[in-house]
Amino acid sequence: MSQSNNPRTWEAYMENGMALTPLRPGTKAATLEGWSKRENAVNKLGDLGKINGSAGVLLAFCRTPLMSLDIDNRPLADEWLQERGINLDGLLSKPGAVQIDSGRERRAKLLYKTPEVMRTHKIIDEGVTVLEFRCGDSKGGSVQDVLPPSIHPDTGEPYKWKGDWRLIPEVPTELLAVWKSHVGPRLAVVEAEQPEPEPLSDTDRVRIVDALTRIEPGNSYDTWLEVGMALHDKTAGSDAGFELWDRWSA
């Protein structure tokens, strides 16, 4: 029995809190209808039979939510991140880093635990995909990343781990901040039980607008980001908070 067909492989992932979705072997295609929804995640040993040789991890639905930094073009990603104060080589070589290795040149994928389920966001430069912050989708579902030892559709070789997948580290603060700066404070929190945020009262709205008029939007990138995160916290991630931040930014 090959490693990819060994049920113990998938069982170990689930025992360590991963939510899985079965894939068509040799592809990245999920086989379950509605696979991106929480209720269709494979996270119980009784559902192990649904997996036949290949699976992906549903990042947003893991016991501790995960995110992946998916590098599609290493040189461009290195430049893009460096402009934002992040050293990609440092992330990849850091002790304890965990990667899913596809065996393809100029590609990399780092996994991290994340304190929040965030909307997936892709960075594209002149039509070229540079990198992607991956976790949840805009409808409250999850995206998936192919897990080792599934077979890569292009290389015909199994994906491999670099680092110990049982000890996935926390996402670096600076990386999370850059992600938030691109998706805004409206996070796609994937929780079926998540209550709707309380409407923003007229009194609170007036106070917030008054406070914002005292802050110059062009001060600095850090100020812009801090204001967005503060509004997200104050308004429980509501659309009203995002609109206030967006209007102030403009």
Side-chain angles (χ1 to χ4, degrees):
M1 180 179 291
S2 69
Q3 186 183 14
S4 60
N5 287 327
N6 186 347
R8 181 58 190 147
T9 301
W10 315 115
E11 182 179 337
Y13 288 146
M14 286 190 280
E15 287 176 344
N16 280 271
M18 288 189 181
L20 310 182
T21 190
L23 307 178
R24 187 175 301 113
T27 76
K28 298 181 181 180
T31 59
L32 294 181
E33 185 175 353
W35 63 268
S36 63
K37 297 180 179 179
R38 181 180 292 275
E39 59 266 28
N40 295 322
V42 177
N43 52 17
K44 299 180 181 64
L45 296 184
D47 293 331
L48 196 58
K50 294 180 180 179
I51 298 175
N52 183 27
S54 185
V57 56
L58 293 168
L59 298 166
F61 299 154
C62 294
R63 187 183 303 145
T64 299
L66 302 178
M67 63 84 66
S68 66
L69 180 65
D70 192 5
I71 306 300
D72 282 292
N73 186 304
R74 178 85 177 263
L76 290 180
D78 185 48
E79 180 180 349
W80 190 89
L81 289 168
Q82 195 71 46
E83 290 172 354
R84 288 152 182 85
I86 296 174
N87 187 312
L88 178 56
D89 287 339
L91 294 179
L92 292 169
S93 61
K94 186 174 181 178
V98 175
Q99 301 180 51
I100 295 177
D101 183 11
S102 68
R104 302 181 70 189
E105 292 184 2
R106 305 203 308 174
R107 304 290 181 101
K109 182 171 293 185
L110 284 155
L111 283 190
Y112 294 107
K113 294 177 181 177
T114 175
E116 303 168 279
V117 174
M118 303 258 304
R119 189 169 69 251
T120 294
H121 184 72
K122 184 179 292 187
I123 303 298
I124 299 175
D125 182 18
E126 298 184 354
V128 177
T129 299
V130 177
L131 58 86
E132 190 172 6
F133 298 91
R134 297 173 56 78
C135 183
D137 65 24
S138 60
K139 298 179 180 179
S142 179
V143 302
Q144 64 90 7
D145 280 323
V146 185
L147 282 171
S150 303
I151 301 300
H152 193 283
D154 296 329
T155 67
E157 298 294 327
Y159 288 85
K160 297 178 181 178
W161 288 108
K162 289 184 177 179
D164 189 345
W165 61 267
R166 296 171 183 81
L167 299 173
I168 295 172
E170 301 285 344
V171 59
T173 303
E174 63 274 19
L175 191 63
L176 184 62
V178 169
W179 189 4
K180 283 187 176 184
S181 75
H182 281 268
V183 301
R186 288 188 299 183
L187 308 185
V189 179
V190 187
E191 288 291 347
E193 301 81 16
Q194 183 75 8
E196 289 293 323
E198 291 291 329
L200 191 64
S201 71
D202 291 339
T203 301
D204 282 343
R205 183 184 295 274
V206 169
R207 287 175 177 171
I208 291 172
V209 170
D210 181 61
L212 289 176
T213 60
R214 303 170 190 273
I215 305 172
E216 179 60 43
N219 273 344
S220 69
Y221 169 83
D222 288 340
T223 300
W224 173 78
L225 182 59
E226 287 172 5
V227 169
M229 294 174 70
L231 282 171
H232 173 262
D233 291 338
K234 176 65 177 175
T235 63
S238 69
D239 286 345
F242 177 80
E243 288 167 5
L244 288 169
W245 183 63
D246 189 48
R247 192 176 303 144
W248 173 79
S249 299

